[in-house]
Amino acid sequence: MFGLSYWFLPAFAGTVWLGTLLGMLAYWLSVGSPHYESMGANQRVAYISDIGATFLQPLFIAGSTTMVVVFDLAFVSERWLRHKARLTPTYSKIEASLSVGAIFFAIIGAAGLILLSIFDTRSYPRAHDAFLGVFVLAYVVSAIFICAEYQRLGIHFREYRTLRISFWIKLAFIFIEIALAVAFGVTQLYSEYNISAYLEWIVSLVYIFYVWSFIIDFLPATKTRRPENRFPAIKKSRDPEAQRTQADGSMTGGPVYSNGGYSNGANSFASQPMGETGRRYEPPSRNF
């Protein structure tokens, strides 16, 4: 429908992580839900890490590494596509810096997941827990940078629903993951290992939906392969052409050059960058 494009990166990354988790869980259930050495005395539900510390560790390492490497490529691709105006381009160095910050913390989070899969919870419990914290915290911070970038882009591209929808999905991920991480820590503190194990599985599944949310972000790039279909560059407000556009609106019906915006209220996820003509002018807004 959309053609094989950059959206395949987050789709593949999320699917690999889902397959890894389901494979490990299916094995543990198929052998009778054994009680592993790394589990607590009264613990009946195995952590992902408990299963990953068995002979399935190669699967855990391979699945984790493949997922985060491909996912980080999605972050880098997003920055490149905005630079090439195949996605809504950044307006200032602040937005570009937010994107770079998201990439930086995503790489740290990737390193955390790879290392926690290598330093298993049975042989290296403290190192494993430390890398788990790095993994969760780094990706939450990365998501905060992404949300900040999309909020600023939404000021200039209010008519594109992809930015608004993706922003709210990622913001929801931040709050849900923080809440689950706090609950996970509390249940660990009070030795409620069964509840804690359930929470760990839930956190991992929520993370998959966060990865898949980037599919939405890449859909417009399926329509901008040709240079003539790409997003117009946004010009600074001090530019005379930008000032005229601010007052009169875009002649093509596309985004205005600075703080203005258009809205037809019915754009699709992968709408064409140049849009339709005849949109009404709306005053600038700091929100979606």
Side-chain angles (χ1 to χ4, degrees):
M1 179 179 179
F2 297 108
L4 189 62
S5 186
Y6 289 90
W7 61 262
F8 179 76
L9 293 173
F12 179 74
T15 302
V16 167
W17 187 233
L18 177 62
T20 301
L21 295 179
L22 291 180
M24 295 170 65
L25 179 61
Y27 168 78
W28 181 68
L29 293 173
S30 68
V31 295
S33 307
H35 186 279
Y36 294 122
E37 176 186 341
S38 57
M39 296 170 64
N42 297 321
Q43 183 181 344
R44 300 184 306 277
V45 181
Y47 289 107
I48 299 171
S49 303
D50 292 325
I51 304 173
T54 66
F55 76 94
L56 287 181
Q57 187 177 22
L59 171 63
F60 191 28
I61 295 174
S64 300
T65 302
T66 302
M67 187 275 293
V68 292
V69 168
V70 175
F71 189 33
D72 283 1
L73 287 175
F75 277 85
V76 175
S77 298
E78 189 260 358
R79 173 86 290 274
W80 174 252
L81 290 171
R82 295 200 188 284
H83 176 70
K84 289 295 187 180
R86 290 193 57 186
L87 296 176
T88 50
T90 52
Y91 176 70
S92 68
K93 291 182 179 180
I94 295 176
E95 288 146 10
S97 298
L98 290 170
S99 179
V100 171
I103 295 171
F104 175 74
F105 282 100
I107 292 173
I108 294 177
L113 182 58
I114 293 171
L115 290 171
L116 77 83
S117 66
I118 295 172
F119 292 90
D120 64 83
T121 188
R122 181 182 59 186
S123 303
Y124 311 95
R126 291 187 179 180
H128 180 86
D129 290 342
F131 290 130
L132 176 61
V134 169
F135 164 61
V136 174
L137 180 61
Y139 270 109
V140 168
V141 174
S142 176
I144 292 173
F145 274 93
I146 282 285
C147 282
E149 178 195 1
Y150 285 13
Q151 196 277 335
R152 290 183 60 87
L153 286 171
I155 295 171
H156 310 291
F157 295 99
R158 294 175 59 204
E159 67 270 38
Y160 296 109
R161 294 178 60 200
T162 50
L163 288 170
R164 183 167 62 253
I165 293 172
S166 182
F167 169 84
W168 288 113
I169 291 175
K170 291 171 176 57
L171 187 64
F173 165 79
I174 292 171
F175 286 112
I176 292 172
E177 287 292 272
I178 290 176
L180 290 174
V182 170
F184 177 81
V186 170
T187 53
Q188 283 270 302
L189 182 63
Y190 287 94
S191 301
E192 296 289 343
Y193 296 124
N194 291 310
I195 298 176
S196 181
Y198 281 121
L199 288 172
E200 185 188 51
W201 285 96
I202 294 172
V203 166
S204 299
L205 292 173
V206 169
Y207 177 71
I208 293 172
F209 288 100
Y210 171 66
V211 175
W212 281 340
S213 74
F214 283 80
I215 297 174
I216 299 173
D217 302 337
F218 286 117
L219 291 182
T222 64
K223 304 293 185 179
T224 56
R225 291 187 176 93
R226 295 178 179 273
E228 62 269 20
N229 291 333
R230 295 181 184 178
F231 288 84
I234 304 176
K235 298 185 178 181
K236 300 293 185 180
S237 58
R238 64 177 180 268
D239 187 284
E241 185 177 358
Q243 294 173 359
R244 289 195 300 272
T245 304
Q246 177 74 11
D248 302 330
S250 170
M251 295 297 293
T252 62
V256 299
Y257 285 112
S258 58
N259 284 335
Y262 292 88
S263 176
N264 64 358
N267 288 346
S268 64
F269 281 4
S271 59
Q272 288 280 0
M274 297 303 292
E276 299 83 16
T277 59
R279 294 176 179 171
R280 61 184 179 85
Y281 173 75
E282 292 187 0
S285 171
R286 287 292 170 187
N287 301 306
F288 287 115

